[in-house]
Amino acid sequence: TTRQALPGDAFATYRFNVNPSGSASTVADQWVHLSEITLYDDTGSALTGRSGNLELLCSNPHGDNPASETASEACDLSMTTQWRDYNGGDLVLSFTAPVVVASYDWAACAADDVGSIETWSLEAFDVGRQRWVVLDGTYSSAAFHAASDGGSSPCTWMGPFMIEAPVSGHEAMYY
């Protein structure tokens, strides 16, 4: 029988599938940047870095990154660094053991909208099915626009975003 992915399912690999801002006017502007992403378990504890025997590795397969703005910069718990990908690619978060992600948030620091992320989805790799499953696709097609906090900081936290059960009768999205 086929089983749908539900909140509470554990996965070892997650993907933050991002799309550049709709304000990008040229192909050269179709890059993305992200200062930090944090995944949380069902107790609200951050699943970052090293925690006991658990390790997190962030990567950007097929990315085009400056040497000082690699994928690991998005998972280093620092708002003073950032990940940038000139190919507008995805951020992959791989744990050494399966973990349950209940929520997540992320931050972007920029003086303008170029490279901003407006649409995204959080996905997990289902080893049994050998494909990605969308855990949160709330903003995969409708742009999310962060409200300004009115402060002088160029950094904006997005979230928290909760991983919720699929609508009754709807299968989780696999592809």
Side-chain angles (χ1 to χ4, degrees):
T1 62
T2 312
R3 185 182 67 77
Q4 67 186 66
L6 295 171
D9 284 350
F11 300 96
T13 306
Y14 293 83
R15 177 169 66 181
F16 192 54
N17 185 346
V18 299
N19 297 299
S21 165
S23 65
S25 57
T26 67
V27 172
D29 289 339
Q30 296 294 314
W31 54 272
V32 295
H33 66 89
L34 180 73
S35 296
E36 197 64 37
I37 185 167
T38 307
L39 306 180
Y40 299 91
D41 67 15
D42 59 354
T43 69
S45 296
L47 297 165
T48 57
R50 293 174 187 248
S51 175
N53 293 327
L54 185 68
E55 290 186 43
L56 169 63
L57 172 68
C58 291
S59 62
N60 178 218
H62 313 293
D64 179 10
N65 316 99
S68 64
E69 296 179 329
T70 62
S72 62
E73 305 297 329
C75 303
D76 64 358
L77 302 176
S78 172
M79 294 294 289
T80 62
T81 60
Q82 74 173 350
W83 160 64
R84 182 185 309 256
D85 181 17
Y86 291 115
N87 290 338
D90 302 326
L91 184 67
V92 176
L93 299 92
S94 302
F95 293 92
T96 53
V99 296
V100 174
V101 172
S103 64
Y104 66 100
D105 58 23
W106 58 276
C109 299
D112 56 38
D113 284 340
V114 176
S116 293
I117 298 167
E118 283 187 353
T119 61
W120 72 88
S121 59
L122 182 66
E123 304 165 353
F125 189 72
D126 186 325
V127 175
R129 291 183 180 215
Q130 287 297 298
R131 56 179 124 169
W132 292 97
V133 57
V134 176
L135 299 177
D136 179 22
T138 305
Y139 295 102
S140 61
S141 58
F144 176 85
H145 298 284
S148 172
D149 64 3
S152 60
S153 172
C155 300
T156 304
W157 275 102
M158 312 293 186
F161 301 100
M162 309 305 287
I163 307 301
E164 298 180 5
V167 175
S168 178
H170 292 187
E171 177 89 12
M173 268 195 282
Y174 280 90
Y175 60 96

